[in-house]
mmCIF file of all heavy atoms in Angstrom:
data_model
loop_
_atom_site.group_PDB
_atom_site.id
_atom_site.type_symbol
_atom_site.label_atom_id
_atom_site.label_comp_id
_atom_site.label_asym_id
_atom_site.label_seq_id
_atom_site.Cartn_x
_atom_site.Cartn_y
_atom_site.Cartn_z
ATOM 1 N N LEU C 518 -36.697 -43.272 23.479
ATOM 2 C CA LEU C 518 -36.093 -42.374 24.465
ATOM 3 C C LEU C 518 -35.630 -43.156 25.694
ATOM 4 O O LEU C 518 -34.502 -42.994 26.171
ATOM 5 C CB LEU C 518 -37.113 -41.307 24.858
ATOM 6 C CG LEU C 518 -36.683 -40.267 25.889
ATOM 7 C CD1 LEU C 518 -35.605 -39.366 25.309
ATOM 8 C CD2 LEU C 518 -37.886 -39.427 26.319
ATOM 9 N N HIS C 519 -36.494 -44.025 26.211
ATOM 10 C CA HIS C 519 -36.151 -44.800 27.404
ATOM 11 C C HIS C 519 -34.965 -45.726 27.151
ATOM 12 O O HIS C 519 -34.087 -45.884 28.003
ATOM 13 C CB HIS C 519 -37.358 -45.615 27.850
ATOM 14 C CG HIS C 519 -38.414 -44.783 28.515
ATOM 15 N ND1 HIS C 519 -39.614 -45.298 28.932
ATOM 16 C CD2 HIS C 519 -38.450 -43.464 28.837
ATOM 17 C CE1 HIS C 519 -40.340 -44.339 29.500
ATOM 18 N NE2 HIS C 519 -39.655 -43.218 29.434
ATOM 19 N N ARG C 520 -34.951 -46.348 25.986
ATOM 20 C CA ARG C 520 -33.839 -47.253 25.670
ATOM 21 C C ARG C 520 -32.520 -46.495 25.592
ATOM 22 O O ARG C 520 -31.479 -46.988 26.029
ATOM 23 C CB ARG C 520 -34.106 -47.964 24.342
ATOM 24 C CG ARG C 520 -35.201 -49.022 24.409
ATOM 25 C CD ARG C 520 -35.492 -49.555 23.021
ATOM 26 N NE ARG C 520 -36.537 -50.565 23.037
ATOM 27 C CZ ARG C 520 -37.111 -51.050 21.936
ATOM 28 N NH1 ARG C 520 -36.726 -50.611 20.740
ATOM 29 N NH2 ARG C 520 -38.050 -51.966 22.028
ATOM 30 N N ALA C 521 -32.569 -45.285 25.015
ATOM 31 C CA ALA C 521 -31.347 -44.499 24.881
ATOM 32 C C ALA C 521 -30.776 -44.146 26.248
ATOM 33 O O ALA C 521 -29.561 -44.286 26.483
ATOM 34 C CB ALA C 521 -31.631 -43.229 24.077
ATOM 35 N N PHE C 522 -31.628 -43.698 27.181
ATOM 36 C CA PHE C 522 -31.143 -43.355 28.509
ATOM 37 C C PHE C 522 -30.720 -44.599 29.290
ATOM 38 O O PHE C 522 -29.761 -44.550 30.061
ATOM 39 C CB PHE C 522 -32.201 -42.561 29.276
ATOM 40 C CG PHE C 522 -32.215 -41.103 28.932
ATOM 41 C CD1 PHE C 522 -33.220 -40.572 28.135
ATOM 42 C CD2 PHE C 522 -31.211 -40.257 29.372
ATOM 43 C CE1 PHE C 522 -33.244 -39.225 27.802
ATOM 44 C CE2 PHE C 522 -31.212 -38.899 29.043
ATOM 45 C CZ PHE C 522 -32.230 -38.390 28.258
ATOM 46 N N ALA C 523 -31.433 -45.702 29.092
ATOM 47 C CA ALA C 523 -31.052 -46.935 29.787
ATOM 48 C C ALA C 523 -29.674 -47.415 29.314
ATOM 49 O O ALA C 523 -28.834 -47.820 30.132
ATOM 50 C CB ALA C 523 -32.101 -48.011 29.552
ATOM 51 N N ARG C 524 -29.455 -47.364 28.021
ATOM 52 C CA ARG C 524 -28.160 -47.782 27.486
ATOM 53 C C ARG C 524 -27.043 -46.865 27.975
ATOM 54 O O ARG C 524 -25.962 -47.332 28.374
ATOM 55 C CB ARG C 524 -28.213 -47.787 25.960
ATOM 56 C CG ARG C 524 -26.916 -48.266 25.293
ATOM 57 C CD ARG C 524 -27.093 -48.287 23.781
ATOM 58 N NE ARG C 524 -27.391 -46.957 23.263
ATOM 59 C CZ ARG C 524 -27.800 -46.724 22.012
ATOM 60 N NH1 ARG C 524 -27.985 -47.728 21.174
ATOM 61 N NH2 ARG C 524 -28.035 -45.489 21.610
ATOM 62 N N TYR C 525 -27.322 -45.563 27.963
ATOM 63 C CA TYR C 525 -26.334 -44.606 28.479
ATOM 64 C C TYR C 525 -26.045 -44.872 29.953
ATOM 65 O O TYR C 525 -24.884 -44.864 30.381
ATOM 66 C CB TYR C 525 -26.865 -43.185 28.293
ATOM 67 C CG TYR C 525 -26.000 -42.124 28.932
ATOM 68 C CD1 TYR C 525 -24.865 -41.643 28.285
ATOM 69 C CD2 TYR C 525 -26.306 -41.604 30.188
ATOM 70 C CE1 TYR C 525 -24.062 -40.676 28.871
ATOM 71 C CE2 TYR C 525 -25.510 -40.641 30.782
ATOM 72 C CZ TYR C 525 -24.391 -40.180 30.115
ATOM 73 O OH TYR C 525 -23.592 -39.223 30.713
ATOM 74 N N GLY C 526 -27.101 -45.128 30.728
ATOM 75 C CA GLY C 526 -26.920 -45.388 32.153
ATOM 76 C C GLY C 526 -26.069 -46.617 32.414
ATOM 77 O O GLY C 526 -25.210 -46.613 33.305
ATOM 78 N N ARG C 527 -26.306 -47.664 31.640
ATOM 79 C CA ARG C 527 -25.505 -48.888 31.817
ATOM 80 C C ARG C 527 -24.053 -48.652 31.429
ATOM 81 O O ARG C 527 -23.132 -49.098 32.119
ATOM 82 C CB ARG C 527 -26.102 -50.022 30.983
ATOM 83 C CG ARG C 527 -27.415 -50.567 31.536
ATOM 84 C CD ARG C 527 -27.812 -51.851 30.819
ATOM 85 N NE ARG C 527 -28.074 -51.632 29.404
ATOM 86 C CZ ARG C 527 -29.269 -51.349 28.897
ATOM 87 N NH1 ARG C 527 -30.312 -51.238 29.713
ATOM 88 N NH2 ARG C 527 -29.429 -51.185 27.595
ATOM 89 N N ASP C 528 -23.851 -47.955 30.314
ATOM 90 C CA ASP C 528 -22.474 -47.724 29.844
ATOM 91 C C ASP C 528 -21.680 -46.865 30.817
ATOM 92 O O ASP C 528 -20.464 -47.062 30.997
ATOM 93 C CB ASP C 528 -22.497 -47.055 28.468
ATOM 94 C CG ASP C 528 -23.020 -47.975 27.372
ATOM 95 O OD1 ASP C 528 -23.099 -49.198 27.620
ATOM 96 O OD2 ASP C 528 -23.370 -47.472 26.280
ATOM 97 N N LYS C 529 -22.340 -45.896 31.458
ATOM 98 C CA LYS C 529 -21.661 -44.955 32.342
ATOM 99 C C LYS C 529 -21.757 -45.340 33.814
ATOM 100 O O LYS C 529 -21.164 -44.665 34.662
ATOM 101 C CB LYS C 529 -22.266 -43.550 32.164
ATOM 102 C CG LYS C 529 -22.061 -42.960 30.778
ATOM 103 C CD LYS C 529 -20.601 -42.562 30.560
ATOM 104 C CE LYS C 529 -20.432 -41.828 29.246
ATOM 105 N NZ LYS C 529 -19.027 -41.356 29.038
ATOM 106 N N GLY C 530 -22.476 -46.400 34.120
ATOM 107 C CA GLY C 530 -22.635 -46.802 35.512
ATOM 108 C C GLY C 530 -23.450 -45.806 36.322
ATOM 109 O O GLY C 530 -23.145 -45.549 37.498
ATOM 110 N N ILE C 531 -24.513 -45.251 35.720
ATOM 111 C CA ILE C 531 -25.326 -44.236 36.387
ATOM 112 C C ILE C 531 -26.296 -44.901 37.368
ATOM 113 O O ILE C 531 -27.018 -45.828 37.014
ATOM 114 C CB ILE C 531 -26.120 -43.400 35.359
ATOM 115 C CG1 ILE C 531 -25.165 -42.713 34.372
ATOM 116 C CG2 ILE C 531 -27.002 -42.379 36.065
ATOM 117 C CD1 ILE C 531 -24.176 -41.775 35.014
ATOM 118 N N ASP C 532 -26.301 -44.412 38.601
ATOM 119 C CA ASP C 532 -27.243 -44.900 39.617
ATOM 120 C C ASP C 532 -28.490 -44.028 39.699
ATOM 121 O O ASP C 532 -29.578 -44.525 40.021
ATOM 122 C CB ASP C 532 -26.566 -44.933 40.988
ATOM 123 C CG ASP C 532 -25.376 -45.873 41.023
ATOM 124 O OD1 ASP C 532 -25.601 -47.083 40.963
ATOM 125 O OD2 ASP C 532 -24.232 -45.386 41.105
ATOM 126 N N THR C 533 -28.333 -42.720 39.446
ATOM 127 C CA THR C 533 -29.443 -41.780 39.581
ATOM 128 C C THR C 533 -29.463 -40.809 38.413
ATOM 129 O O THR C 533 -28.435 -40.203 38.088
ATOM 130 C CB THR C 533 -29.329 -40.976 40.895
ATOM 131 O OG1 THR C 533 -29.288 -41.873 41.997
ATOM 132 C CG2 THR C 533 -30.512 -40.027 41.053
ATOM 133 N N PHE C 534 -30.629 -40.674 37.789
ATOM 134 C CA PHE C 534 -30.856 -39.619 36.802
ATOM 135 C C PHE C 534 -31.644 -38.507 37.486
ATOM 136 O O PHE C 534 -32.699 -38.761 38.081
ATOM 137 C CB PHE C 534 -31.644 -40.137 35.605
ATOM 138 C CG PHE C 534 -30.831 -40.898 34.597
ATOM 139 C CD1 PHE C 534 -30.866 -42.284 34.566
ATOM 140 C CD2 PHE C 534 -30.029 -40.234 33.688
ATOM 141 C CE1 PHE C 534 -30.125 -43.002 33.641
ATOM 142 C CE2 PHE C 534 -29.271 -40.934 32.754
ATOM 143 C CZ PHE C 534 -29.316 -42.325 32.728
#
Side-chain angles (χ1 to χ4, degrees):
L518 180 68
H519 285 177
R520 288 174 180 170
F522 278 105
R524 182 178 61 191
Y525 173 82
R527 288 191 296 268
D528 292 345
K529 296 288 187 177
I531 301 300
D532 298 290
T533 303
F534 280 102

